[in-house]
Structures are given as C-alpha cells and as structure tokens.
Amino acid sequence: KRTILVLDVPQVHQCVVAFAQKLFGLAYGLNGVEVAGFNPSDHAPHRCLHRVVRGTLVALGVPDGRLRSLIDAECAAFLTAKQIKSIENWGVGPELVTIGTTRLG
C-alpha cells in the first residue's frame, strides 16, 4: 500500500485529500493508497515525519517567498523538505515533489 502526503495550506491539502480518498475509495487493497494532508508551516514535521518511509510520495506546496508576508512559510516548507529528504532506508528515500516558484534543492 502506497502513502501519499500532501503538504500545503489547509484549504489545499484538505481538498486534495478528500478528492484522493473519493478517487481511491473503491480501489482494491492492492491498488489502494493512504492519503494524508498537513500544513508545513504548522504541524507537518511533528505529525507526518513518522509516516515517511521509502516509496512515500510527498507533494509539497512552496509559497512564493518574494512576498514579504510569505517568507516564513517558504522557510518552513524548505525546512520540512530537507527533513523529509534526510530520511533514507538502504539508500532509498521518499519521492518529494515540490510545487511552487522556488526551486528547493
């Protein structure tokens, strides 16, 4: 069973999680996925890092840090991404996809 983590603001991750759960609601156990959503600025590192294993797909929304009011949120997303990428098992870690204007690398 695959796990998908959606890390973005509450309006986005709640909609994506609800859609994915409806989409995979009738899937068989072999094809099913577990979907969870968190806010990287608030509680993502504390509530989701224990769920990350190799093969986990993580979609991370990165705010536009060019706006002065979103600099803290961008830094929190960058920190969360670095923490997730540091988790490895036998040299293989989660698959991290960032969505936004800033390249995290």
Side-chain angles (χ1 to χ4, degrees), residues 63-76:
D64 189 359
R66 295 177 291 183
L67 292 169
R68 187 174 297 274
S69 61
L70 294 177
I71 291 175
D72 291 339
E74 182 188 34
C75 291

Side-chain angles (χ1 to χ4, degrees), residues 6-19 37-38 59-61 99:
V6 181
L7 304 176
D8 209 325
V9 294
Q11 296 90 343
V12 174
H13 77 71
Q14 289 171 356
C15 289
V16 171
V17 168
F19 176 73
F38 301 98
L60 176 65
I99 302 167

Side-chain angles (χ1 to χ4, degrees), residues 8-104:
D8 209 325
V9 294
Q11 296 90 343
V12 174
H13 77 71
Q14 289 171 356
C15 289
V16 171
V17 168
F19 176 73
Q21 287 175 344
K22 286 284 190 183
L23 188 65
F24 290 101
L26 297 176
Y28 292 104
L30 191 61
N31 299 333
V33 296
E34 180 183 339
V35 183
F38 301 98
N39 185 356
S41 298
D42 186 18
H43 54 266
H46 310 293
R47 293 189 181 172
C48 80
L49 286 183
H50 69 278
R51 296 179 187 223
V52 176
V53 295
R54 65 188 229 179
T56 301
L57 176 62
V58 181
L60 176 65
V62 181
D64 189 359
R66 295 177 291 183
L67 292 169
R68 187 174 297 274
S69 61
L70 294 177
I71 291 175
D72 291 339
E74 182 188 34
C75 291
F78 183 71
L79 177 65
T80 303
K82 288 295 187 182
Q83 288 175 336
I84 288 172
K85 287 302 285 182
S86 69
I87 299 171
E88 287 188 0
N89 184 15
W90 293 89
V92 179
E95 300 171 30
L96 179 65
V97 177
T98 58
I99 302 167
T101 59
T102 307
R103 182 183 176 277
L104 297 179

